Amino acid sequence: MISTSAPSKPILEVRDLRKEFQTNQGRLVAVAGVDFQIGESEIYGLVGESGSGKSTVGSVIVGMYPSNGGTVLFRGQDIDRPAAKRSRDLKRQIQMVFQDPGGSLNPRQTIRQILSLPLRLHCGLTGQALEAATADTIEKVGLSVSYLDKYPQVIGGGEKQLICIARALAPDPSFIVLDEPTSALDVSIQAKISNKLLELQEDLGLSYLFITHNLALVRNLTHRTAIMYLGQLCETATTEEFFAHPLHPYTQMLLASIPVMSEEEEAYKPTEVKSVGEIPNPIHRPSGCGFHTRCPFCMDRCRTVSPPVTEISPGHQVSCHLYGDSTRKEEAKCG
């Protein structure tokens, strides 16, 4: 487990979160003990490859299914239960934007119907008040009211995702889980969506859990960043510190693979660790450190002992034997 330094006023607290799924091949441990906190009006980045468990974390937070252990607190209230068992106000306050905008919009409904539904369900609006709120909601994401009578299949991917964002905004939430919200879009549209998300967060004081594999987006959007690998967090830091001083070999591997546009950016990339291999099957999780099968610095104890959590500097924590107390003691003996 690894935790971040506590925000001054957390809106969300996740403690030792665990989630397992039973499959035909065996027990799949998707989340294996995760700790973090997100502050009011904070954008928290959760980064990892496919299969790391990051989307499962978001799904538990919004109540798509309950955990198998741990605690999820929203403003101090335990919310670890399916959405159907949550209060109306809690469901209003916590919203989600999914990866595939086309798959999350009903093709048989107009944009007006899609946006008016949460306004009716969560806010109880009808008549002219509903019409006004629907128009205001779509305009918040930069689209005109002319879109309201269109169907999702006749608009572009970026516009679809803006509609999904508008739907999440409709009930006036305070916290939004963004699960790979730009990964299905081309680069130019990604920038537009990212800028709109940042603008909305600043204007409305929203808190985001921003789930992604795209470190370039994280650099420009998030206040703090956590790296997830095989169901656990391996490093957390402020985003500025994370890019300036990456510590975990997996973090360095990810950063080394980011495309850059200039020699200056290339100079900041780690050079010691190259991307090697693939994330193991979580059904057959390696013993010890989950990353040891890909790590160029693997030591004997990495194969059998889970690494400790070490705070390198305030708010910067890493789970790796390279930085643990035992490693420092051995180095001291050698010296």
Side-chain angles (χ1 to χ4, degrees):
M1 295 184 298
I2 187 169
S3 63
T4 65
S5 58
S8 57
K9 187 179 181 182
I11 188 172
L12 185 85
E13 299 175 75
V14 174
R15 302 174 182 171
D16 195 23
L17 184 64
R18 300 174 182 273
K19 181 59 186 177
E20 302 173 0
F21 298 96
Q22 191 61 42
T23 72
N24 293 333
Q25 289 75 40
R27 184 172 59 95
L28 187 156
V29 180
V31 183
V34 167
D35 295 68
F36 62 88
Q37 297 182 355
I38 301 176
E40 295 277 1
S41 302
E42 180 181 25
I43 305 177
Y44 188 93
L46 186 58
V47 181
E49 295 172 278
S50 295
S52 64
K54 59 188 186 299
S55 291
T56 302
V57 171
S59 297
V60 171
I61 290 172
V62 299
M64 291 180 66
Y65 33 69
S67 74
N68 293 110
T71 306
V72 181
L73 301 176
F74 182 77
R75 290 179 169 154
Q77 176 187 355
D78 187 349
I79 63 169
D80 188 11
R81 62 184 68 89
K85 296 183 179 180
R86 294 182 177 185
S87 68
R88 177 176 294 184
D89 184 61
L90 184 58
K91 288 186 283 187
R92 178 190 67 78
Q93 289 197 62
I94 302 176
Q95 295 292 310
M96 188 169 190
V97 175
F98 296 92
Q99 177 177 352
D100 177 17
S104 61
L105 296 174
N106 188 336
R108 294 184 175 86
Q109 291 186 332
T110 65
I111 306 304
R112 184 186 304 276
Q113 291 172 313
I114 290 169
L115 296 184
S116 64
L117 179 61
L119 290 166
R120 287 191 286 107
L121 290 180
H122 295 292
C123 305
L125 299 180
T126 59
Q128 291 184 346
L130 177 61
E131 287 296 313
T134 303
D136 178 65
T137 298
I138 198 168
E139 288 176 341
K140 280 181 181 177
V141 298
L143 296 177
S144 72
V145 293
S146 63
Y147 280 82
L148 289 175
D149 293 314
K150 296 181 179 181
Y151 287 87
Q153 58 267 33
V154 303
I155 63 177
E159 293 164 329
K160 286 189 181 79
Q161 194 60 293
L162 287 172
I163 296 300
C164 292
I165 294 169
R167 179 176 59 185
L169 291 174
D172 191 26
S174 52
F175 183 87
I176 300 179
V177 175
L178 301 161
D179 188 9
E180 300 270 13
T182 64
S183 63
L185 308 173
D186 64 46
V187 175
S188 62
I189 302 300
Q190 284 184 14
K192 179 181 178 180
I193 299 297
S194 299
N195 289 335
K196 178 54 67 174
L197 287 169
L198 187 57
E199 176 188 318
L200 290 166
Q201 187 273 333
E202 292 174 346
D203 290 346
L204 303 175
L206 296 166
S207 299
Y208 291 158
L209 173 61
F210 189 82
I211 298 169
T212 185
H213 66 276
N214 190 329
L215 283 167
L217 288 177
V218 165
R219 187 170 196 167
N220 297 316
L221 275 174
T222 67
H223 299 108
R224 289 185 298 147
T225 297
I227 304 300
M228 193 166 185
Y229 187 83
L230 211 61
Q232 295 180 316
L233 301 188
C234 58
E235 185 168 1
T236 62
T238 65
T239 301
E240 181 180 5
E241 173 72 8
F242 167 79
F243 280 93
H245 303 105
L247 298 176
H248 197 283
Y250 178 57
T251 303
Q252 296 172 6
M253 180 184 293
L254 290 177
L255 290 173
S257 65
I258 299 177
V260 295
M261 302 296 291
S262 67
E263 293 183 1
E264 182 181 3
E265 290 179 332
E266 182 68 32
Y268 281 101
K269 290 175 61 173
T271 58
E272 295 83 3
V273 182
K274 302 297 182 183
S275 182
V276 177
E278 297 180 354
I279 189 168
N281 187 333
I283 296 176
H284 306 292
R285 179 186 175 87
S287 59
C289 173
F291 187 63
H292 84 256
T293 59
R294 302 171 68 185
C295 183
F297 308 116
C298 179
M299 300 173 282
D300 286 343
R301 66 177 171 275
C302 300
R303 299 182 177 92
T304 57
V305 181
S306 295
V309 176
T310 303
E311 186 164 49
I312 305 302
S313 60
H316 191 168
Q317 295 181 316
V318 62
S319 184
C320 178
H321 286 301
L322 291 173
Y323 305 96
D325 290 338
S326 59
T327 301
R328 289 197 291 268
K329 289 176 182 177
E330 288 182 12
E331 289 175 346
K333 289 179 182 178
C334 294

